[in-house]
Amino acid sequence: MVESPRAPASGERGSDFAKLSRRIAKAGLLDKRPGYYAVRIGLVTSLFAGSWALFAIVGDSWWQIPVAVLLAVAFAQVTLLAHDLAHGQISRSRRTSRLAGLVAGNLAVGLSYGWWMDKHTRHHANPNHEEHDPDVSPDVLIWSERQAEASRGLPRFIGRWQAFLFFPLLTLEGLNLKVSSFRALRRKTLKGRTAEGLLLSAHVLAYVGAVFLVLPPGMALVFLAVHQACYGVYLGCTFAPNHKGMPVLTAEDELDYLRRQVLTSRNVRGGSLVNTALGGLNFQIEHHLFPSMPTANLRRAQPIVRDHCRSLGVDYVECGLFESWGQALRHLHEAGRSLRGVRT
């Protein structure tokens, strides 16, 4: 289970977060929502199974390309459910959450549940922190002028025009997640490496085997490319609006828990459609303050959190989906400004 970053203890009566936490708890928003998740799991499972059934029915046909797109949506929705499982939003039992997460992550979509949990825990503890958040490490993209100045190799080359390359690069994210998952199996610190490895291998064999069993080689390769590309873009467009373009922190920034989470996060407006497509992560501020809060309660928590931030004079940022992407791209372009016109 993804551990919540250390929040002020309830005994710290004067803490800004403690006051907010008491209001949230009093409203019952930390209570589990088994009915909501039963319906959601049923719908996502039906979408996943139905997409594979449609794949089998369509058979050897170029009409499989739309099916590949539909299956990418199904994979993304399963991934979002695995995210909720990792945060303990669905079940209070760590064992149940882990077993379900291994099925949803490793077996269904080929994403190492244990590796992702470790990475995501570090992100939640220090969102948008240059030294501690793996999501803003300069592996390929650079996120600040300081990273640009220190960059070498591929990040320095891509960083010049990374805003224009962002969406094309997202088409590789699905493949990158699989490669990273298998690479993580070499880590002795990864819990249950054998089970993770077996389930990941089973996924790849079943996934690739099914595609090549039904489709001729050329069409199968196109199907896999379209499916993984759409899956990567979907996930990127889901997670990028949350923090990209928000302040990037360094060791010099000393913020309390509430400000560290709120000032680095952005909410996305859009109603039920956006809420469903993004798996509730459009309420990113509330999610970061209360990671174990069920997705269905985030919307109800929003006015309480927004009012509390307003009373403290803490910026609470929210905008539309396309505007959030625009802010992220402008930030990427500005971060690489010093590299443009500079020879490597």
Side-chain angles (χ1 to χ4, degrees):
M1 186 180 299
V2 173
E3 298 291 346
S4 301
R6 183 189 180 278
S10 59
E12 298 174 19
R13 306 293 294 180
S15 162
D16 290 332
F17 177 77
K19 295 174 183 176
L20 172 62
S21 185
R22 286 193 290 271
R23 292 180 62 185
I24 291 293
K26 185 177 180 180
L29 298 178
L30 298 178
D31 297 342
K32 300 304 178 189
R33 296 287 300 273
Y36 161 79
Y37 276 111
V39 172
R40 182 175 165 190
I41 290 171
L43 290 174
V44 171
T45 301
S46 298
L47 174 63
F48 186 82
S51 298
W52 279 116
L54 183 61
F55 170 79
I57 292 169
V58 172
D60 182 358
S61 167
W62 285 107
W63 284 106
Q64 290 285 14
I65 301 306
V67 177
V69 177
L70 177 64
L71 190 61
V73 174
F75 266 50
Q77 286 295 321
V78 172
T79 304
L80 290 170
L81 267 180
H83 166 272
D84 288 11
L85 281 164
H87 278 295
Q89 296 177 18
I90 301 177
S91 172
R92 297 186 186 279
S93 167
R94 292 194 178 198
R95 185 173 183 275
T96 299
S97 296
R98 174 171 170 75
L99 291 175
L102 288 171
V103 171
N106 294 56
L107 185 60
V109 300
L111 172 64
S112 169
Y113 183 73
W115 164 74
W116 182 84
M117 276 182 59
D118 173 70
K119 177 175 178 287
H120 199 61
T121 297
R122 288 183 283 132
H123 159 70
H124 264 266
N126 291 283
N128 265 23
H129 195 290
E130 283 191 359
E131 288 83 16
H132 303 302
D133 184 356
D135 289 352
V136 292
S137 61
D139 296 329
V140 177
L141 301 176
I142 53 178
W143 306 100
S144 69
E145 292 184 9
R146 190 165 76 169
Q147 287 185 349
E149 292 171 0
S151 64
R152 297 290 183 273
L154 185 62
R156 188 172 184 84
F157 176 75
I158 290 179
R160 298 171 178 177
W161 305 106
Q162 59 185 7
F164 299 97
L165 297 172
F166 180 68
F167 284 105
L169 286 171
L170 285 182
T171 62
L172 302 174
E173 182 60 16
L175 178 62
N176 174 58
L177 290 173
K178 282 183 169 51
V179 172
S180 297
S181 294
F182 275 99
R183 288 177 61 186
L185 296 176
R186 296 181 297 182
R187 301 179 186 174
K188 294 182 179 180
T189 56
L190 181 65
K191 181 180 178 181
R193 284 192 298 166
T194 300
E196 291 240 3
L198 288 174
L199 289 172
L200 284 173
S201 299
H203 164 80
V204 172
L205 290 174
Y207 169 60
V208 176
V211 173
F212 276 91
L213 180 65
V214 173
L215 303 178
M219 191 181 297
L221 290 174
V222 173
F223 180 93
L224 292 173
V226 171
H227 175 241
Q228 289 299 314
C230 291
Y231 175 50
V233 171
Y234 190 138
L235 288 184
C237 290
T238 298
F239 287 93
N242 303 334
H243 302 282
K244 308 317 179 195
M246 299 303 290
V248 176
L249 306 181
T250 65
E252 288 74 34
D253 297 299
E254 297 183 2
L255 300 175
D256 64 2
Y257 176 78
L258 183 141
R259 287 165 179 80
R260 187 165 71 248
Q261 303 299 334
V262 174
L263 295 177
T264 59
S265 303
R266 177 197 297 113
N267 275 16
V268 178
R269 303 190 196 99
S272 299
L273 179 60
V274 169
N275 190 23
T276 300
L278 302 189
L281 294 181
N282 46 312
F283 297 106
Q284 189 67 192
I285 294 173
E286 289 72 28
H287 170 60
H288 258 258
L289 287 169
F290 303 97
S292 64
M293 180 183 291
T295 295
N297 289 345
L298 295 173
R299 178 181 58 83
R300 295 168 55 200
Q302 184 184 35
I304 299 175
V305 173
R306 186 166 47 197
D307 176 69
H308 188 69
C309 289
R310 186 182 295 118
S311 71
L312 296 172
V314 175
D315 288 342
Y316 181 101
V317 178
E318 56 181 334
C319 63
L321 182 61
F322 292 105
E323 185 181 350
S324 71
W325 293 342
Q327 290 179 18
L329 293 176
R330 285 192 293 272
H331 174 80
L332 283 170
H333 195 60
E334 182 61 23
R337 180 174 55 85
S338 63
L339 299 180
R340 290 188 284 278
V342 179
R343 289 190 174 186
T344 56

